[in-house]
Amino acid sequence: MTTIQQEVPHEKFSRVASYEALGSFGITPLGAVIAGPAADRFGLDRTLWAATGAILAATAMVLTVPDVRRMRRAPEQDAARRR
């Protein structure tokens, strides 16, 4: 949220924050729907390891984006100007 506040112009913040929330919380029910049947079919341990692998793979994919790796905290005066 700090990065969004620093990088997104004030007039677009609400829209960007809502999409971020949808991505963070809106997909959770889909995971719950998939987890139960997957645990029944493949077993709880395999399902949890698969979920762990999916999370690690998604994190690794995000970290391959150069702009994400280069992102630094904005100096205080720059952050104040964006408001």
Side-chain angles (χ1 to χ4, degrees), residues 30-48:
L30 179 61
V33 166
I34 294 170
D40 281 345
R41 181 173 173 118
F42 303 112
L44 183 58
D45 286 345
R46 281 186 170 171
T47 302
L48 289 174

Side-chain angles (χ1 to χ4, degrees), residues 8-15 82:
V8 176
H10 180 69
E11 63 275 2
K12 296 179 181 173
F13 177 78
S14 178
R15 182 171 298 186
R82 288 192 176 112

Side-chain angles (χ1 to χ4, degrees), residues 17-41:
S18 66
Y19 282 122
E20 189 276 329
L22 176 64
S24 295
F25 305 115
I27 299 174
T28 300
L30 179 61
V33 166
I34 294 170
D40 281 345
R41 181 173 173 118

Side-chain angles (χ1 to χ4, degrees), residues 16-81:
V16 172
S18 66
Y19 282 122
E20 189 276 329
L22 176 64
S24 295
F25 305 115
I27 299 174
T28 300
L30 179 61
V33 166
I34 294 170
D40 281 345
R41 181 173 173 118
F42 303 112
L44 183 58
D45 286 345
R46 281 186 170 171
T47 302
L48 289 174
W49 282 113
T52 301
I55 291 168
L56 290 174
T59 302
M61 288 187 335
V62 169
L63 291 175
T64 64
V65 178
D67 288 338
V68 171
R69 290 192 317 272
R70 283 188 235 126
M71 186 162 290
R72 300 289 180 254
R73 183 174 177 164
E76 292 299 320
Q77 63 269 22
D78 289 344
R81 267 189 275 151

